[in-house]
Every structure is written in structure tokens, then in C-alpha cells.
Amino acid sequence: MAETAAPRVPLASVTPAIALGPLDGRYRGATAPLVDYLSEAALNRDRTHVEVEWLIHLTSNAVLPGTSPLSDKQQAQLREIVTGFDGTSITELAEIEQVTVHDVKAVEYYIGRRLAAIGIEDLTALVHFGCTSEDVNNLSYALGVKGAVENVWLPAAHDLVDRITVMAEETRSVPMLSRTHGQPATPTTLGKELAVTAHRLTRQLRRIEKTEYLGKINGATGTYAAHYASVPGADWQQVARSFVEGLGLAWNPLTTQIESHDWQAELYADVARFNRILHNFCTDVWSYISIGYFKQIPVAGATGSSTMPHKVNPIRFENAEANLEISNGLLDTLASTLVTSRWQRDLTDSSSQRNIGVAFGHSVLAISNVVKGLERLDVADDVLAADLDTNWEVLGEAIQMVMRAEAIAGAPGLENPYERLKDLTRGQRVDAERMREFVSGLGLPADAEARLLALTPGKYIGIADALVDHVTE
């Protein structure tokens, strides 16, 4: 009879808590800055911020009869509820929510508990005045996403693109054999190819930097019904607009109960596109490493393989690929889910938006890994040069184009240039001697023949090095 296994310690009870997901566990160091914007705690702090500012806004503008502006000290004390938001606050809110079973109502009560100490207990009814939960939530999410993008994601992305741009400038004149369809093709330079990626990523960053973060505060179904029922003399649209814009957001004047989230879908599509371009870059760099164009600088003490001691694996780029795919899976789902809502409101967006931090976390982690991977790369100039020197057939393009140009100019005997070069080079390796012998037998004008005889695969790069300048425009 088999022995009964000894009971295991439940890891969920271990302090500090064991993370279920890698972003809060193994990769916490790379993603920690996002916690201040996209965690549950950050959401509650932003909710508190919105509620506090709404109270100040209503009193400062004497929107309701019987109210007057708070003193500077009282406003400062209210704002200290937000600036002093800490672990104790998180615990207290959780305890309140256990009773309310409603997260936004818990925030309302949390603030209400503190008004007596400020001397404004009589304004308790003004907390959350005229608001539905989504009024607070949509503004809080907008503030959190805006903060995360502008203060964490964009700086990380810009740093990565800057590094790729520097590499492009440093290698702008390093010749490299192109491979279209995986086959040897017209040479380029390593720097020009890096510049293509930097240019593509930069375009996406410019789109993301122009993101319009929308918000609304117009009641249960977006009609200001409760507002006008209670205070019919106020210009509630202007009150709402000035409040939303005062938070640093753009006002959405026309919504159902929810802000429609279209701006989120637009942003996530742009970030996902950035991720996809970066994913393409990772697979290209991985491939260049595999054919020896890049050498990887070993990390002292690191192990590449548990059994093959010679290996230095491109793990940073592989890790980035996986995390970019996970990020995009979430971003794509968010973008498609958030733009739909049954009639005036359903809660699918509420559950979906709790994963915004996870989506950005995997993207930030990927960017971090690409940066670390690039730091350990060294260009193998000798391998690049050797590859070019064994593929002289790529000059077939240049020769047949010169033949075409000279034939148009009146030179005789240069018929069927493409076909003649195709017979010479297609599916065959042609060395320098054979190529020059072919050129010498064409009967080209002297200057054209000399130009082709001086050409090598490494020199057949057009203006690739100069094109790198476009990436910094």
C-alpha cells in the first residue's frame, strides 16, 4: 500500500506573498514601475484623487447653492488623503469593500471618514455627488494609463529606439549581404537595416505620443439627469468639461453610462503595432546571430546550456518574442472588447480593464530584454565580409542594369542583358574571376567596363550608408 504523501505548506500563506504571475514574481524588477499606475492599489488611489478633486471643484465653483470655496488649508488636507495613500490605506479600503461589496462605494466611504478631521463633515453628501461609479472609474483608468504610458512605457521604448539608432549610425557603412526570401540578394549595410527598424518604431512612438486620453463625468446614463434634477441652475456640461480637462484629460461630451473606450482601443492598437515591429526585429537579430553576423558577448558566470558548455544562447531575444506575443494577445483582446457594450452598460469592460497592467507589463519586460540583448552583441565584420565574398552572383543585377543603360545610349551587342545574366548566375555560385571575365567579354564602353570591374559585393551598397540619416529626421 502506497504511503500517504506528507502535506505541503500552502504557498499562498507564505509571507511575503508568493506571486501567481511572473510579472509580480520572477520579473518584478523590470515591471515594478508600472505598479504605481496600473495596479489595483494605484486604481484606488486614482479613484480617491478623482473624488477629492471633484469635491474641491464643486465647492471652488460654488456649483451647489449653500456651498462656498474651501480654504487653502482644507484643500491641502483633502489632497493629503491622496498623497498619503499607503499600505494602511489599501488595507482600510479592502476592509470597507468587504462590507460594501463595491469598490467605488468603498472609496466614497473612505474619504467620508476623513472629512470630520478637516472640519468639513457637513460636506459628506457632496462626495461622489451626481456620479455613477463609471464617472470615477473612467477618469481613474485614463489617469493611470496616461501615467503608465508617459512615465514608464514611452521612456523605455524611446531608450530602446535610441540604442538601435546609435547602432545604426555606428554600422552605417558595414556592408552586409541581403537575403530576400532567405536567398542572397543585393547587398545593403547593417546600419541601414537597423535604421529601418528604428524608423518604423519611431513612427509608432509618435502616434502613441499623440494619444488623446478621454474622460467623462455625466451621470448614470450620460444625460446629467440627476445633476439637473438636483441643481437645475448649474451649467453642468461646463462643470464637467472644466473638471475633466483640469485633470489633464480630454472631455468626451457624448456617452452612455460608460466612456466608450475608443481611445483605449486606438492606443492599444498602436502599442501592439510597436510590439509587432519589435517582434520582427527580435526574430531578425536572432537569425543574424544564428548565421554568425553578430557575436554574443558571454556574461561572466552565466550558463548557456546545462549540458553544452560552449553555448551562448540568444535568450534575451527569445524571451522578448514570447512576452511581446503575450502582450499583444491581451492588447488585441482589450481593443476589441472595450469598444463594445450592451445598450447603456455592461460589466465586461470592468473585468477586461483589470488586465491593462498585465498587457503593458509584458511589453515593458520585452523591451527590457531587447535592451539587455543588444548590450551583449558585437558585430562579426569578418563573417559579414566572407559572406559577401562568396556571393559574387549578386552583382548580376548591377551588370545587367549597366548593359540596359548602355544599350539605350547606343552601345551595340548588349541585347538580352537579363537573360544573359540569368544564364550565368541563377542557382549558381560565381566567383570574382568568372564575373570579371564575363564583364570583360561584353564589349561595354571603357568607362562602364572599368566601373563594373572595380565593383565588389561589398561595394555594391548604393547609398545605404547615407539613408541612415533619415532615422534622426
Side-chain angles (χ1 to χ4, degrees), residues 89-359:
S89 308
I90 294 169
T91 300
E92 182 180 346
L93 264 174
E95 291 170 350
I96 298 172
E97 189 180 343
Q98 284 184 338
V99 177
T100 63
V101 197
H102 195 289
D103 45 10
V104 177
K105 200 66 178 176
V107 172
E108 178 186 342
Y109 290 164
Y110 174 81
I111 295 170
R113 288 180 176 184
R114 284 153 176 77
L115 299 189
I118 301 174
I120 54 172
E121 188 174 11
D122 59 311
L123 295 180
T124 300
L126 203 55
V127 179
H128 201 68
F129 184 85
C131 294
T132 184
S133 296
E134 182 57 19
D135 286 326
V136 176
N137 280 336
N138 87 95
L139 296 170
S140 299
Y141 272 113
L143 290 171
V145 174
K146 185 174 188 284
V149 171
E150 293 181 349
N151 299 317
V152 181
W153 191 88
L154 272 172
H158 273 296
D159 177 59
L160 169 62
V161 175
D162 288 346
R163 289 170 184 266
I164 297 173
T165 300
V166 169
M167 288 181 65
E169 292 171 341
E170 291 175 345
T171 59
R172 65 165 61 221
S173 299
V174 177
M176 183 182 83
L177 185 69
S178 291
R179 281 183 164 80
T180 59
H181 306 278
Q183 306 304 307
T186 301
T188 181
T189 69
L190 177 56
K192 180 260 179 181
E193 299 310 305
L194 292 170
V196 169
T197 295
H199 182 63
R200 295 177 69 194
L201 293 174
T202 297
R203 286 190 70 251
Q204 301 313 310
L205 293 183
R206 288 173 181 164
R207 290 174 61 94
I208 293 165
E209 287 169 340
K210 295 177 182 177
T211 296
E212 189 177 37
Y213 300 86
L214 271 63
K216 70 96 180 181
I217 185 163
N218 53 14
T221 57
T223 65
Y224 299 97
H227 304 69
Y228 278 100
S230 55
V231 188
D235 184 352
W236 282 108
Q237 285 199 78
Q238 178 54 32
V239 171
R241 179 172 190 162
S242 58
F243 177 67
V244 171
E245 291 178 347
L247 293 174
L249 306 173
W251 180 56
N252 186 343
L254 199 56
T255 76
T256 60
Q257 183 176 104
I258 67 168
E259 196 290 317
S260 305
H261 309 316
D262 295 344
W263 70 265
Q264 288 195 54
E266 292 157 5
L267 169 63
Y268 303 152
D270 288 342
V271 174
R273 195 177 307 108
F274 178 97
N275 285 349
R276 288 188 171 94
I277 295 168
L278 185 57
H279 186 283
N280 190 187
F281 177 72
C282 290
T283 57
D284 278 358
V285 172
W286 187 97
S287 299
Y288 288 138
I289 291 170
S290 74
I291 62 174
Y293 280 11
F294 288 118
K295 293 179 288 189
Q296 295 184 96
I297 304 169
V299 177
T303 298
S305 165
S306 62
T307 185
M308 294 174 281
H310 69 283
K311 295 188 75 180
V312 182
N313 295 330
I315 58 172
R316 294 297 180 185
F317 299 101
E318 294 169 341
N319 181 292
E321 283 183 52
N323 280 287
L324 290 167
E325 290 163 8
I326 295 169
S327 176
N328 276 6
L330 288 168
L331 290 170
D332 290 347
T333 298
L334 287 167
S336 62
T337 298
L338 291 177
V339 295
T340 63
S341 181
R342 294 177 185 86
W343 293 342
Q344 283 69 51
R345 174 62 163 145
D346 68 49
L347 277 176
T348 53
D349 62 337
S350 179
S351 297
S352 297
Q353 287 180 107
R354 294 184 188 280
N355 292 282
I356 295 170
V358 183

